[in-house]
Amino acid sequence: MKIVTAAELATLSADTPAEPGQLLAHWIEGPHTADRLDVGVVTLSPGGLTPPHSHDGGQVMVVTAGRGFVECAGQRHLIGPGDVVVCPPGEVHVHGALADEPLSHLTVSTRGYVFPDGLPAQ
């Protein structure tokens, strides 16, 4: 069992990349990219976003700080602290921070992720 306190989560969520448009992942468990859970705190600096991708086992994101968006099938939804996003397995999506503030979220997934061209992510 691993316990991450609220204070530790807040510290990880506040660790924002110095460069604009960047992503930083702090892995709490993993990444295993297997049937085991991958759990991490991902922080994007203002304007940062992921490339389009999907998760073979799906993904759950819980916003821990800041504001941003998730986009799927051309629909963009704004997200903020406490919001929960559930992406089913294979659903191609993008998530990112707004231009004027960072975004941090807890991510939980299994079995890795892929880019739409089919190449596995490293």
Side-chain angles (χ1 to χ4, degrees):
M1 177 182 300
K2 185 178 284 189
I3 297 173
V4 177
T5 67
E8 291 170 308
L9 184 60
T11 298
L12 294 173
S13 296
D15 189 11
T16 303
E19 296 291 321
Q22 297 297 308
L23 178 147
L24 175 65
H26 289 286
W27 292 104
I28 296 169
E29 180 65 28
H32 301 291
T33 61
D35 287 338
R36 294 180 58 187
L37 287 176
D38 291 328
V39 180
V41 176
V42 175
T43 303
L44 297 110
S45 57
L49 70 145
T50 66
H53 66 284
S54 66
H55 298 265
D56 289 341
Q59 179 185 33
V60 174
M61 294 179 274
V62 180
V63 179
T64 56
R67 292 191 35 217
F69 65 90
V70 293
E71 187 172 317
C72 178
Q75 293 188 353
R76 183 174 280 206
H77 304 276
L78 295 179
I79 54 176
D83 289 345
V84 177
V85 178
V86 178
C87 298
E91 180 178 77
V92 177
H93 63 279
V94 172
H95 38 98
L98 298 180
D100 61 346
E101 66 181 297
L103 171 73
S104 293
H105 65 277
L106 181 70
T107 179
V108 180
S109 63
T110 60
R111 299 190 356 220
Y113 54 98
V114 296
F115 295 107
D117 62 10
L119 297 174
Q122 298 297 318

